[in-house]
Amino acid sequence: MAVNVEQLSRRVRAVALDQGKSVAGALQHVLDEGFENSVIEAPQEDSLRSYLEEQVSGFSFLQKYLDDESLEEVWINEPGVIHYAKGGQHFRELVSFSAAQLKSLVDRMIRPSGRRLDRTTPYIDAQLTSGFRLHAVIPDITRDHLSLNIRKFLNKPLTLESLIGYGVLSMAQAQFLVDEMRVGSNVLISGATQAGKTTLLSALLNSLPETERVISVEDTFELKCTLPDVVAMQTRPQSIEGKGEIDLRRLIRETLRMRPTRLVVGEVRGAEALDMLIALNSGIPGMCTIHANSASEGLQKLSTLPLLAGSNISREFLESVIRSSMDLFVHCRRLSDGSRRIDQIMRVTRSGPLALEAVKV
């Protein structure tokens, strides 16, 4: 009798969880029980064991893409098709999986985060145990199918020396930025999606002295800071009862009670820009990233986002706070071949209209 692989997979998973067995041990246990009177030859058992390892302890049809260190991001728009980015280029492959299998897999991937994906919370940002960032949206927010993106990050962060080797920045630029940070300059890193903002931010953080106490706040954990005195915090969505939400504004205010020598905001995208500027204006050196197409557009966005915090905030007040809080604007650009470059380092002008001026390095 041919083995029913799906039923076998469910039985092996149940035994592995209930009895704390390995996949191989659980499979042997199930076969010893005489699973549905199935007869499995030795060659078939080897391939079946590999399949079950992937199904039970891995992430099924996605596992090989997650294991491939050359891939930058993996995404799914519909059942049966997997897209991925590699070397700055986009690719697609046809893979056999159903909508139900995809939803079941996503639920299993996000379970350790304690977050949920259902009609009450139809979109989610979560960090996988591997450190990768998962984003998913389900219908009826999407038109027809669950949409999944998995952004991959290196477990070992790149150093400034590595980035110099890759041509992201020159040795002179790296030394300039390190010197500025060590005297307390505040740095905003701008760029488009996948321009290398977070990678550069992590590398700059790791160039700081070990005496620094870094407090970072993010929507989902992405920064890789290897300094010995670090507290990383991330936001929390509201519960199904509509309670318990903790946003970036709250986290930034909490950092002020934690004795930071460096405040880091993973990405500024909303009203938390005001809280960050006020914190930096109190004398705490800081760093952040922002989505923008140039350093000047990054400044313009930073001048606009705080207005989301309330109608009683004037532009004159914001210009004064930005001028006294921010120092350097560094812009990262992703080139057509997929490589990244720093193409602007600019400083906030100290007189006249609020603007940036290029720094010669």
Side-chain angles (χ1 to χ4, degrees), residues 222-254:
E222 295 182 26
L223 291 169
K224 302 288 185 182
C225 185
T226 59
L227 296 178
D229 191 357
V230 179
V231 177
M233 298 188 289
Q234 70 174 1
T235 60
R236 185 176 71 191
Q238 66 182 17
S239 67
I240 191 171
E241 295 83 13
K243 301 177 181 179
E245 179 181 10
I246 298 177
D247 61 14
L248 281 176
R249 300 195 68 184
R250 172 65 181 272
L251 290 181
I252 291 173
R253 291 194 292 270
E254 290 299 316

Side-chain angles (χ1 to χ4, degrees), residues 43-239:
Q44 183 187 9
E45 185 175 339
D46 290 338
S47 61
L48 183 60
R49 182 179 289 109
S50 297
Y51 172 79
L52 290 173
E53 286 279 1
E54 181 181 89
Q55 291 291 316
V56 176
S57 61
F59 288 137
S60 187
F61 51 87
L62 272 179
Q63 191 63 53
K64 75 169 187 176
Y65 300 95
L66 302 182
D67 290 341
D68 189 340
E69 295 184 356
S70 68
L71 305 190
E72 304 162 9
E73 188 161 355
V74 181
W75 63 97
I76 295 173
N77 304 327
E78 60 183 321
V81 184
I82 292 181
H83 302 258
Y84 59 88
K86 179 177 181 178
Q89 304 298 316
H90 290 180
F91 303 88
R92 67 191 294 267
E93 290 184 2
L94 300 181
V95 180
S96 178
F97 62 92
S98 67
Q101 287 174 314
L102 176 59
K103 180 60 167 62
S104 176
L105 177 60
V106 172
D107 287 340
R108 184 152 59 90
M109 296 175 86
I110 65 177
R111 190 173 298 128
S113 72
R115 303 189 179 193
R116 54 191 298 155
L117 184 66
D118 52 31
R119 287 190 63 83
T120 59
T121 53
Y123 44 82
I124 184 176
D125 277 302
Q127 185 181 44
L128 304 182
T129 54
S130 61
F132 301 159
R133 185 187 70 194
L134 177 148
H135 179 78
V137 189
I138 60 174
D140 56 353
I141 301 302
T142 56
R143 182 187 295 274
D144 297 310
H145 305 292
L146 185 155
S147 171
L148 172 68
N149 280 71
I150 298 177
R151 181 80 178 274
K152 300 176 65 179
F153 299 97
L154 295 174
N155 288 326
K156 184 177 180 180
L158 294 175
T159 63
L160 282 178
E161 290 74 16
S162 299
L163 296 183
I164 292 170
Y166 289 133
V168 174
L169 73 170
S170 68
M171 187 174 297
Q173 288 174 323
Q175 190 59 58
F176 171 78
L177 292 175
V178 169
D179 290 344
E180 286 286 326
M181 288 175 57
R182 293 194 176 192
V183 298
S185 293
N186 297 321
V187 181
L188 180 146
I189 301 174
S190 60
T193 301
Q194 294 187 351
K197 303 183 296 298
T198 302
T199 299
L200 176 61
L201 178 53
S202 295
L204 288 172
L205 279 175
N206 292 326
S207 71
L208 291 169
E210 292 191 349
T211 53
E212 290 272 357
R213 174 169 169 76
V214 175
I215 311 294
S216 65
V217 299
E218 303 174 80
D219 280 321
T220 55
F221 293 126
E222 295 182 26
L223 291 169
K224 302 288 185 182
C225 185
T226 59
L227 296 178
D229 191 357
V230 179
V231 177
M233 298 188 289
Q234 70 174 1
T235 60
R236 185 176 71 191
Q238 66 182 17
S239 67

